[in-house]
Amino acid sequence: MTLDFSPIQWLVILSAMAFAYVVFGMVGFGTALVASPVLALFVPVAKIVPLLALMDMFAALVNVTREGRKADLAELKRLVPMMAIGSLVGATILLVTRPDALMLVLGTFVVAYAIYSLSSIRPQRPFPPGASVPFGLVGGVFSALFGSGGFVYSIYLSGRIDTKDSLRITQTTLIGLSTLTRVVLFALAGVYLDPALLLLALALAPAMLSGLFIGRRITLRLAREQFIALIHWMVLFSGVVLLAHYFAK
């Protein structure tokens, strides 16, 4: 891998990363869905997931260091063990079978759920605590399979947490823990021994930090109802991307 990008290419990459982290700063997930299609034009596909895992981990660390006290510890205690189990299941699935059918099933469910949530007929009923089991497991599975399970956690958390700041930082903390696992695995596999990959992450850090700052400032201006609607639009976008990936194969 090389960093021999033209000035225009650098501008496109930095702009995509800044926008991706505006989204992350607002809702706590979505960088892979937003940035990956652009990065794939310039960066080897095999390097994108390790790159974004590393940057998501540090982005989550920045947010948690600043606002970690707002995280809902009870929900984290419910979700994290399920997320870990789901990640192991996802890694097993990846080794023994093709996960394409799962992409279709989840994409269909997510699109249907997002449309339902954005409709005016949605009843205001919170999820029971036991819903953390299926949502944690499925989120872990898809984090391991496709590097993006955050939108699954967001469906559960948006139906459990009333405060938008607590919802956002709890989501961010989950993403941080999830990416930490992947970063450790990539490090053990020697992926980060590539100096160009680390230099690229360093070069993209200012765009990441700028995006986080802008995203947080936007979120502070939103009412909770607007924030929840924003999450559901991102969930809808996530489902559409999954379906597009499935039918493009």
Short mmCIF file of all heavy atoms in Angstrom, two decimals, residues 174-221:
data_model
loop_
_atom_site.label_atom_id
_atom_site.label_comp_id
_atom_site.label_asym_id
_atom_site.label_seq_id
_atom_site.Cartn_x
_atom_site.Cartn_y
_atom_site.Cartn_z
N LEU A 174 -20.19 1.44 22.98
CA LEU A 174 -20.33 0.09 22.40
C LEU A 174 -19.46 -0.06 21.15
O LEU A 174 -18.78 -1.08 20.98
CB LEU A 174 -21.79 -0.18 22.04
CG LEU A 174 -22.71 -0.63 23.16
CD1 LEU A 174 -24.15 -0.65 22.68
CD2 LEU A 174 -22.31 -2.01 23.68
N ILE A 175 -19.48 0.94 20.29
CA ILE A 175 -18.66 0.89 19.08
C ILE A 175 -17.19 0.83 19.44
O ILE A 175 -16.40 0.11 18.83
CB ILE A 175 -18.96 2.10 18.18
CG1 ILE A 175 -20.41 2.07 17.69
CG2 ILE A 175 -18.01 2.12 16.98
CD1 ILE A 175 -20.78 0.83 16.91
N GLY A 176 -16.80 1.60 20.46
CA GLY A 176 -15.40 1.58 20.89
C GLY A 176 -14.97 0.21 21.36
O GLY A 176 -13.89 -0.27 21.00
N LEU A 177 -15.81 -0.45 22.16
CA LEU A 177 -15.48 -1.79 22.64
C LEU A 177 -15.44 -2.80 21.50
O LEU A 177 -14.58 -3.68 21.46
CB LEU A 177 -16.51 -2.23 23.69
CG LEU A 177 -16.48 -1.44 25.01
CD1 LEU A 177 -17.68 -1.81 25.87
CD2 LEU A 177 -15.18 -1.71 25.76
N SER A 178 -16.38 -2.66 20.58
CA SER A 178 -16.41 -3.57 19.43
C SER A 178 -15.17 -3.41 18.55
O SER A 178 -14.55 -4.40 18.13
CB SER A 178 -17.68 -3.30 18.60
OG SER A 178 -17.70 -4.09 17.43
N THR A 179 -14.79 -2.16 18.28
CA THR A 179 -13.63 -1.94 17.43
C THR A 179 -12.33 -2.29 18.14
O THR A 179 -11.37 -2.70 17.48
CB THR A 179 -13.57 -0.48 16.95
OG1 THR A 179 -13.64 0.40 18.09
CG2 THR A 179 -14.71 -0.16 16.01
N LEU A 180 -12.29 -2.15 19.45
CA LEU A 180 -11.10 -2.55 20.20
C LEU A 180 -10.79 -4.02 19.96
O LEU A 180 -9.63 -4.40 19.75
CB LEU A 180 -11.31 -2.29 21.69
CG LEU A 180 -10.20 -2.79 22.63
CD1 LEU A 180 -8.87 -2.12 22.31
CD2 LEU A 180 -10.59 -2.57 24.08
N THR A 181 -11.82 -4.85 19.98
CA THR A 181 -11.63 -6.28 19.73
C THR A 181 -11.03 -6.51 18.35
O THR A 181 -10.08 -7.28 18.18
CB THR A 181 -12.97 -7.03 19.84
OG1 THR A 181 -13.53 -6.79 21.13
CG2 THR A 181 -12.79 -8.52 19.63
N ARG A 182 -11.57 -5.82 17.35
CA ARG A 182 -11.07 -6.00 15.99
C ARG A 182 -9.65 -5.47 15.84
O ARG A 182 -8.83 -6.06 15.14
CB ARG A 182 -12.01 -5.33 14.98
CG ARG A 182 -13.37 -5.98 14.90
CD ARG A 182 -14.07 -5.69 13.59
NE ARG A 182 -14.36 -4.28 13.40
CZ ARG A 182 -15.44 -3.66 13.88
NH1 ARG A 182 -16.29 -4.34 14.61
NH2 ARG A 182 -15.65 -2.39 13.63
N VAL A 183 -9.36 -4.34 16.48
CA VAL A 183 -8.01 -3.78 16.40
C VAL A 183 -6.99 -4.74 16.99
O VAL A 183 -5.90 -4.94 16.43
CB VAL A 183 -7.96 -2.41 17.12
CG1 VAL A 183 -6.51 -1.98 17.35
CG2 VAL A 183 -8.69 -1.35 16.29
N VAL A 184 -7.34 -5.35 18.11
CA VAL A 184 -6.42 -6.33 18.73
C VAL A 184 -6.17 -7.50 17.79
O VAL A 184 -5.03 -7.95 17.61
CB VAL A 184 -6.98 -6.81 20.08
CG1 VAL A 184 -6.17 -8.00 20.61
CG2 VAL A 184 -6.96 -5.68 21.11
N LEU A 185 -7.24 -8.00 17.17
CA LEU A 185 -7.09 -9.13 16.25
C LEU A 185 -6.25 -8.74 15.03
O LEU A 185 -5.39 -9.51 14.59
CB LEU A 185 -8.47 -9.62 15.80
CG LEU A 185 -9.33 -10.28 16.89
CD1 LEU A 185 -10.72 -10.61 16.35
CD2 LEU A 185 -8.66 -11.54 17.41
N PHE A 186 -6.50 -7.56 14.48
CA PHE A 186 -5.70 -7.10 13.34
C PHE A 186 -4.24 -6.91 13.73
O PHE A 186 -3.33 -7.21 12.95
CB PHE A 186 -6.26 -5.78 12.80
CG PHE A 186 -7.55 -5.92 12.05
CD1 PHE A 186 -8.60 -5.03 12.27
CD2 PHE A 186 -7.73 -6.92 11.10
CE1 PHE A 186 -9.80 -5.15 11.58
CE2 PHE A 186 -8.92 -7.06 10.40
CZ PHE A 186 -9.95 -6.17 10.64
N ALA A 187 -4.01 -6.40 14.94
CA ALA A 187 -2.64 -6.21 15.40
C ALA A 187 -1.92 -7.55 15.55
O ALA A 187 -0.76 -7.70 15.15
CB ALA A 187 -2.63 -5.45 16.73
N LEU A 188 -2.61 -8.54 16.12
CA LEU A 188 -2.01 -9.87 16.27
C LEU A 188 -1.72 -10.50 14.92
O LEU A 188 -0.77 -11.28 14.78
CB LEU A 188 -2.94 -10.77 17.09
CG LEU A 188 -3.11 -10.40 18.57
CD1 LEU A 188 -4.16 -11.29 19.23
CD2 LEU A 188 -1.76 -10.52 19.31
N ALA A 189 -2.54 -10.17 13.92
CA ALA A 189 -2.34 -10.71 12.58
C ALA A 189 -1.27 -9.95 11.80
O ALA A 189 -0.94 -10.32 10.67
CB ALA A 189 -3.65 -10.69 11.80
N GLY A 190 -0.74 -8.88 12.38
CA GLY A 190 0.33 -8.12 11.74
C GLY A 190 -0.12 -7.09 10.73
O GLY A 190 0.70 -6.52 10.00
N VAL A 191 -1.43 -6.81 10.70
CA VAL A 191 -1.95 -5.87 9.70
C VAL A 191 -1.36 -4.48 9.90
O VAL A 191 -1.06 -3.77 8.93
CB VAL A 191 -3.49 -5.81 9.78
CG1 VAL A 191 -4.04 -4.73 8.85
CG2 VAL A 191 -4.09 -7.16 9.43
N TYR A 192 -1.16 -4.08 11.16
CA TYR A 192 -0.69 -2.73 11.44
C TYR A 192 0.84 -2.60 11.35
O TYR A 192 1.39 -1.55 11.74
CB TYR A 192 -1.18 -2.28 12.81
CG TYR A 192 -2.70 -2.17 12.88
CD1 TYR A 192 -3.42 -2.90 13.81
CD2 TYR A 192 -3.39 -1.35 12.00
CE1 TYR A 192 -4.80 -2.81 13.87
CE2 TYR A 192 -4.77 -1.26 12.05
CZ TYR A 192 -5.48 -1.99 12.99
OH TYR A 192 -6.84 -1.89 13.03
N LEU A 193 1.49 -3.62 10.85
CA LEU A 193 2.93 -3.51 10.59
C LEU A 193 3.21 -2.75 9.30
O LEU A 193 4.36 -2.47 8.98
CB LEU A 193 3.56 -4.91 10.52
CG LEU A 193 3.55 -5.71 11.83
CD1 LEU A 193 4.15 -7.10 11.62
CD2 LEU A 193 4.28 -4.96 12.94
N ASP A 194 2.15 -2.46 8.55
CA ASP A 194 2.27 -1.68 7.31
C ASP A 194 2.39 -0.20 7.69
O ASP A 194 1.40 0.43 8.12
CB ASP A 194 1.04 -1.91 6.44
CG ASP A 194 1.10 -1.16 5.12
OD1 ASP A 194 2.08 -0.40 4.91
OD2 ASP A 194 0.18 -1.32 4.31
N PRO A 195 3.56 0.43 7.53
CA PRO A 195 3.73 1.83 7.93
C PRO A 195 2.79 2.77 7.18
O PRO A 195 2.33 3.78 7.74
CB PRO A 195 5.19 2.13 7.59
CG PRO A 195 5.86 0.80 7.50
CD PRO A 195 4.81 -0.14 7.00
N ALA A 196 2.49 2.46 5.92
CA ALA A 196 1.63 3.34 5.12
C ALA A 196 0.22 3.40 5.72
O ALA A 196 -0.42 4.46 5.70
CB ALA A 196 1.57 2.85 3.69
N LEU A 197 -0.26 2.28 6.26
CA LEU A 197 -1.59 2.26 6.87
C LEU A 197 -1.63 3.16 8.10
O LEU A 197 -2.58 3.94 8.28
CB LEU A 197 -1.96 0.82 7.25
CG LEU A 197 -3.35 0.63 7.89
CD1 LEU A 197 -4.44 1.05 6.92
CD2 LEU A 197 -3.54 -0.82 8.31
N LEU A 198 -0.61 3.09 8.92
CA LEU A 198 -0.55 3.93 10.12
C LEU A 198 -0.38 5.40 9.74
O LEU A 198 -0.98 6.27 10.38
CB LEU A 198 0.59 3.47 11.02
CG LEU A 198 0.48 2.03 11.56
CD1 LEU A 198 1.67 1.70 12.43
CD2 LEU A 198 -0.82 1.85 12.33
N LEU A 199 0.42 5.68 8.73
CA LEU A 199 0.59 7.06 8.28
C LEU A 199 -0.71 7.63 7.72
O LEU A 199 -1.04 8.80 7.92
CB LEU A 199 1.70 7.14 7.22
CG LEU A 199 3.13 6.99 7.75
CD1 LEU A 199 4.11 6.92 6.58
CD2 LEU A 199 3.48 8.18 8.66
N LEU A 200 -1.47 6.78 7.01
CA LEU A 200 -2.75 7.24 6.48
C LEU A 200 -3.71 7.56 7.63
O LEU A 200 -4.40 8.58 7.59
CB LEU A 200 -3.35 6.17 5.57
CG LEU A 200 -4.71 6.51 4.94
CD1 LEU A 200 -4.63 7.80 4.13
CD2 LEU A 200 -5.21 5.36 4.07
N ALA A 201 -3.75 6.70 8.64
CA ALA A 201 -4.61 6.97 9.81
C ALA A 201 -4.21 8.29 10.47
O ALA A 201 -5.07 9.09 10.86
CB ALA A 201 -4.51 5.82 10.81
N LEU A 202 -2.91 8.53 10.58
CA LEU A 202 -2.43 9.77 11.18
C LEU A 202 -2.82 10.98 10.33
O LEU A 202 -3.24 12.02 10.86
CB LEU A 202 -0.91 9.71 11.34
CG LEU A 202 -0.24 10.87 12.09
CD1 LEU A 202 -0.75 10.94 13.52
CD2 LEU A 202 1.28 10.71 12.07
N ALA A 203 -2.71 10.83 9.01
CA ALA A 203 -3.06 11.93 8.12
C ALA A 203 -4.56 12.24 8.16
O ALA A 203 -4.97 13.40 7.96
CB ALA A 203 -2.65 11.58 6.69
N LEU A 204 -5.37 11.22 8.43
CA LEU A 204 -6.81 11.40 8.45
C LEU A 204 -7.32 11.86 9.82
O LEU A 204 -8.50 12.21 9.95
CB LEU A 204 -7.51 10.10 8.05
CG LEU A 204 -7.26 9.61 6.62
CD1 LEU A 204 -7.93 8.27 6.39
CD2 LEU A 204 -7.75 10.63 5.60
N ALA A 205 -6.46 11.84 10.84
CA ALA A 205 -6.88 12.18 12.20
C ALA A 205 -7.49 13.58 12.29
O ALA A 205 -8.52 13.76 12.97
CB ALA A 205 -5.71 12.02 13.17
N PRO A 206 -6.90 14.62 11.67
CA PRO A 206 -7.53 15.95 11.75
C PRO A 206 -8.96 15.97 11.18
O PRO A 206 -9.84 16.64 11.74
CB PRO A 206 -6.59 16.84 10.94
CG PRO A 206 -5.27 16.15 11.02
CD PRO A 206 -5.59 14.69 10.99
N ALA A 207 -9.18 15.25 10.08
CA ALA A 207 -10.53 15.19 9.50
C ALA A 207 -11.48 14.49 10.47
O ALA A 207 -12.63 14.90 10.63
CB ALA A 207 -10.49 14.46 8.17
N MET A 208 -10.99 13.43 11.12
CA MET A 208 -11.81 12.70 12.10
C MET A 208 -12.21 13.62 13.25
O MET A 208 -13.38 13.70 13.63
CB MET A 208 -11.04 11.50 12.64
CG MET A 208 -11.76 10.75 13.75
SD MET A 208 -10.66 9.60 14.61
CE MET A 208 -9.71 10.75 15.63
N LEU A 209 -11.22 14.33 13.83
CA LEU A 209 -11.49 15.19 14.98
C LEU A 209 -12.41 16.34 14.61
O LEU A 209 -13.31 16.71 15.39
CB LEU A 209 -10.17 15.71 15.55
CG LEU A 209 -9.25 14.65 16.17
CD1 LEU A 209 -7.89 15.25 16.52
CD2 LEU A 209 -9.90 14.02 17.41
N SER A 210 -12.21 16.91 13.42
CA SER A 210 -13.08 17.99 12.97
C SER A 210 -14.52 17.50 12.80
O SER A 210 -15.48 18.18 13.20
CB SER A 210 -12.57 18.56 11.64
OG SER A 210 -11.27 19.09 11.78
N GLY A 211 -14.66 16.31 12.20
CA GLY A 211 -16.00 15.74 12.02
C GLY A 211 -16.69 15.47 13.34
O GLY A 211 -17.88 15.76 13.50
N LEU A 212 -15.95 14.93 14.32
CA LEU A 212 -16.53 14.68 15.64
C LEU A 212 -17.02 15.96 16.28
O LEU A 212 -18.11 16.01 16.86
CB LEU A 212 -15.48 14.02 16.56
CG LEU A 212 -15.09 12.58 16.27
CD1 LEU A 212 -14.00 12.13 17.23
CD2 LEU A 212 -16.30 11.65 16.38
N PHE A 213 -16.23 17.01 16.18
CA PHE A 213 -16.60 18.30 16.77
C PHE A 213 -17.87 18.85 16.14
O PHE A 213 -18.81 19.26 16.83
CB PHE A 213 -15.45 19.29 16.61
CG PHE A 213 -15.77 20.67 17.11
CD1 PHE A 213 -15.74 20.97 18.46
CD2 PHE A 213 -16.13 21.68 16.20
CE1 PHE A 213 -16.06 22.26 18.90
CE2 PHE A 213 -16.44 22.96 16.65
CZ PHE A 213 -16.41 23.25 18.00
N ILE A 214 -17.92 18.82 14.80
CA ILE A 214 -19.09 19.35 14.09
C ILE A 214 -20.33 18.51 14.40
O ILE A 214 -21.41 19.05 14.66
CB ILE A 214 -18.83 19.40 12.58
CG1 ILE A 214 -17.71 20.40 12.27
CG2 ILE A 214 -20.11 19.76 11.82
CD1 ILE A 214 -17.21 20.33 10.84
N GLY A 215 -20.18 17.18 14.38
CA GLY A 215 -21.30 16.29 14.67
C GLY A 215 -21.88 16.53 16.05
O GLY A 215 -23.11 16.56 16.23
N ARG A 216 -21.01 16.68 17.03
CA ARG A 216 -21.48 16.92 18.40
C ARG A 216 -22.20 18.25 18.49
O ARG A 216 -23.24 18.36 19.16
CB ARG A 216 -20.30 16.89 19.37
CG ARG A 216 -20.71 17.10 20.83
CD ARG A 216 -19.52 16.94 21.76
NE ARG A 216 -19.92 17.12 23.14
CZ ARG A 216 -19.99 18.31 23.76
NH1 ARG A 216 -19.66 19.40 23.10
NH2 ARG A 216 -20.37 18.39 25.03
N ARG A 217 -21.67 19.29 17.83
CA ARG A 217 -22.32 20.60 17.88
C ARG A 217 -23.71 20.55 17.25
O ARG A 217 -24.66 21.18 17.74
CB ARG A 217 -21.46 21.64 17.16
CG ARG A 217 -20.09 21.87 17.75
CD ARG A 217 -20.16 22.40 19.17
NE ARG A 217 -20.81 23.70 19.24
CZ ARG A 217 -21.04 24.36 20.37
NH1 ARG A 217 -20.71 23.80 21.53
NH2 ARG A 217 -21.62 25.55 20.36
N ILE A 218 -23.85 19.79 16.16
CA ILE A 218 -25.17 19.65 15.53
C ILE A 218 -26.14 18.95 16.47
O ILE A 218 -27.29 19.37 16.64
CB ILE A 218 -25.05 18.89 14.20
CG1 ILE A 218 -24.26 19.71 13.18
CG2 ILE A 218 -26.44 18.55 13.65
CD1 ILE A 218 -23.94 18.97 11.90
N THR A 219 -25.67 17.88 17.12
CA THR A 219 -26.52 17.10 18.01
C THR A 219 -27.02 17.94 19.18
O THR A 219 -28.17 17.80 19.62
CB THR A 219 -25.76 15.87 18.55
OG1 THR A 219 -25.35 15.07 17.44
CG2 THR A 219 -26.66 15.03 19.46
N LEU A 220 -26.18 18.82 19.70
CA LEU A 220 -26.58 19.66 20.83
C LEU A 220 -27.76 20.55 20.49
O LEU A 220 -28.52 20.96 21.38
CB LEU A 220 -25.39 20.52 21.30
CG LEU A 220 -24.23 19.78 21.97
CD1 LEU A 220 -23.08 20.73 22.25
CD2 LEU A 220 -24.69 19.09 23.26
N ARG A 221 -27.94 20.84 19.21
CA ARG A 221 -29.02 21.73 18.78
C ARG A 221 -30.32 20.98 18.48
O ARG A 221 -31.35 21.61 18.21
CB ARG A 221 -28.60 22.51 17.52
CG ARG A 221 -27.40 23.43 17.75
CD ARG A 221 -26.95 24.07 16.45
NE ARG A 221 -25.82 24.96 16.66
CZ ARG A 221 -25.91 26.25 16.96
NH1 ARG A 221 -27.11 26.81 17.06
NH2 ARG A 221 -24.84 26.99 17.14
#
